[in-house]
Amino acid sequence: MFKKNRTYKLMQSTFSMLLIVAATSSWLGSANAADRKLVKVDGSSTVFPITEAVAEEFQMEHRNVMVTVGISGTGGGFKKFSRSETDISDASRVIKAKEVALCKESGIEYIELPVAYDGIAVMVNPQNDWISSITVEELKKIWEPEAQRKVTKWSHIRADWPNETINLYGPGVDSGTFDYFTKVINGKEGASRGDFTASEDDNVLVQGISTDKYALGFFGLAYYEHNKDKLKLIPVDDGKDDNGKGPILPSLETVNNSTYQPLSRPIFIYVSKKSAEKPEVDDFVIFYLKNASELSAEVGYIPLPDTAYLLAIERYKQRKTGSVFGDSGSKTKLSIEELLRM
Amino acid sequence: MSKGVLSKNKRNSKVFKILSLTAVFIGFIALGIMLVDIFIDGAGRISWDFLSNFPSRRPGRAGILSALVGTLWMMSLTAAFSFPLGLGAGIYLEEYARKNWFTKLVEINISNLAGVPSIIYGLLGLGIFVRVCGFERSLLSGALTLTLLILPIIITTTRESLKAVPKSLREASYALGATQWQTVYSQILPVAMPGILTGTILALSRAIGETAPLIAIGALTYIAFLPHGVFDPFTVLPIQVFNWISRPQHGFAINAAAAIIILLLITLMMNSVAIYLRRKFQRRVKW
């Protein structure tokens, strides 16, 4: 015989407890939903650290407002944004025509606000003693789709470089950094050779380059900043003298004054015009633009010039919708201030 | 002649034993290295502050409170949904359903579902719970998604446990005039319960380690408040780890290691509960 009663009592009580917890919490949840003030942000993982920092500071001053930040990627973020599932979308590139159409379809108007610069760094192993700079032409020669299985040795790029296999590292094809790099270097977004080590996790790339003498790779400048001892940064020459002569190293100064070209880009937040009417979202966006300079520098990005933030606040307050950066991105000679005045 | 065969067999037996032992050690050493590595990196970081702080941009100030609470919520909700459903479905399929082509089809589908990659469940959850049902990216959506994910495992283990109950027990019960319900409730289930509970808890341990389906339904990464109810947004430990590990600062890698230790402890705790329950129930059943 077995004492089933105690067994079942135990089970029954566990169950009723779980049910009560579930029921109470759902009741509490629905009761709270009305007076809970949420600001929902999602999008690029590149912009995430800045938004996280702003959210952290903002919530210290506004205890009753809750900010949530997700990382669905720039594209994934815009999908949610266009379904009004979020108030603000983090974007490491400007909104694409396809996404503009999606927003239009569902009647979402947006205000585009640049929040910082992100530089893309070209890096090699510290033991690499032959390379001192690289030109955009050479980068194209290495990374364009035609280079696959052809440009495989350092000597294929410059004759006096060693006759050793070059090992390439770059971010995965889903990242905004990859999109941007291929666009400005290879001329077409997403066009690249396929035979390189790709990882969505930049730390894997750092690891790879730091242990491989014949490596060359690119990724966000912030990762270089925190791994200076393991990597060697390469100055890039874009062949144009009007924005700085010769090879230029990415730095706070050269990115900020637009001489480190073409491998620096502004990154953005997109605010839904309808959400901006909510006071908590409004407060958050203003707080964001006022503190982005300090906080973006703290998490490893390069702040925009101070006037750009003032202009962005102006633009936001006037609720100017649409994108001014369009397809031009950083290719245009217009500075970020000039674009914001448009 | 026969002596030769005998010694050959003995030698083979020894070789096999050594091979099996090697297999054990390879798994054991790999696990050991990972654990030691994680503990060296993360153990020093675990403190009350780490457990009770919200995430932060500064690695030294960041904590796992929202992720930890989210994981506990997720676990209880998923358990509350998946256990009764899995148990019910398992009992029906094993005890009540007629063995025909339809039940065969259902069976095959359930075993196939157990092998579907978890991200697919995430996309399903995004479509059904987040969008069609309108639960948004809440604890409820997450828990229901994970329920779908582990339901096939629970159903299968329930059925296996029921199958293992000797047929004589059922026959004896019927012989005494018990109905099918009485037989299942009073005779079969108590015997099968340890197996069912173990399977369920192991399935739950798998669920709390899942990242992909929750990211797909849009669980959040930065969240500095605790959920008040099942309709609130949430984050869980694996997502926090995933985020920290991809950050440039070394401090976040240490945080990730510490968070992994906490996650391991939770899993370990759940598994010990499984062992405890199995022991407890097994002792109750005496023939």
Side-chain angles (χ1 to χ4, degrees), chain A residues 241-252:
Chain A
D241 288 347
D242 51 353
N243 55 4
K245 212 172 175 149
I248 287 165
L249 265 180
S251 70
L252 201 135

Side-chain angles (χ1 to χ4, degrees), chain A residues 92-312:
Chain A
S92 64
R93 52 162 172 78
V94 289
I95 189 165
K96 283 182 187 170
K98 208 170 60 188
E99 293 153 350
V100 172
L102 265 179
C103 287
K104 207 169 198 175
E105 228 170 78
S106 44
I108 304 282
E109 288 185 279
Y110 51 83
I111 307 156
E112 175 189 66
L113 303 164
V115 292
Y117 284 116
D118 183 25
I120 297 174
V122 178
M123 275 154 296
V124 294
N125 188 282
Q127 282 178 38
N128 180 325
D129 49 11
W130 57 89
I131 188 168
S132 59
S133 76
I134 197 158
T135 65
V136 169
E137 270 310 298
E138 284 163 338
L139 280 175
K140 182 166 192 269
K141 198 170 164 192
I142 300 170
W143 286 96
E144 66 187 352
E146 291 77 33
Q148 185 146 340
R149 284 196 287 273
K150 271 188 211 145
V151 182
T152 52
K153 293 199 166 156
W154 279 95
S155 53
H156 292 161
I157 307 156
R158 274 189 213 173
D160 56 337
W161 284 350
N163 190 24
E164 296 281 352
T165 306
I166 182 168
N167 300 318
L168 297 169
Y169 295 81
V173 294
D174 285 337
S175 80
T177 310
F178 176 83
D179 281 350
Y180 188 80
F181 184 88
T182 48
K183 186 171 139 194
V184 296
I185 298 295
N186 297 340
K188 188 171 171 250
E189 194 171 287
S192 161
R193 68 191 293 168
D195 52 347
F196 66 97
T197 306
S199 174
E200 300 292 345
D201 182 350
D202 289 351
N203 283 324
V204 173
L205 303 176
V206 171
Q207 201 69 28
I209 299 172
S210 65
T211 54
D212 180 350
K213 190 179 172 186
Y214 299 102
L216 182 138
F218 69 90
F219 47 78
L221 193 55
Y223 286 82
Y224 169 74
E225 295 290 330
H226 291 278
N227 295 285
K228 280 183 179 160
D229 48 333
K230 296 182 207 156
L231 302 165
K232 180 177 163 189
L233 192 60
I234 304 299
V236 177
D237 185 356
D238 67 353
K240 294 176 198 144
D241 288 347
D242 51 353
N243 55 4
K245 212 172 175 149
I248 287 165
L249 265 180
S251 70
L252 201 135
E253 199 197 336
T254 58
V255 172
N256 203 311
N257 66 18
S258 298
T259 49
Y260 183 65
Q261 287 292 343
L263 289 176
S264 70
R265 54 174 179 169
I267 51 182
F268 303 89
I269 56 171
Y270 285 76
V271 186
S272 154
K273 194 181 172 192
K274 210 173 102 205
S275 296
E277 285 162 18
K278 293 190 268 184
E280 62 273 18
V281 176
D282 190 51
D283 284 350
F284 181 73
V285 174
I286 295 289
F287 188 89
Y288 202 131
L289 293 172
K290 279 189 177 154
N291 293 281
S293 174
E294 191 196 328
L295 292 174
S296 60
E298 196 186 320
V299 294
Y301 292 84
I302 292 158
L304 305 173
D306 286 339
T307 46
Y309 288 113
L310 293 176
L311 287 165

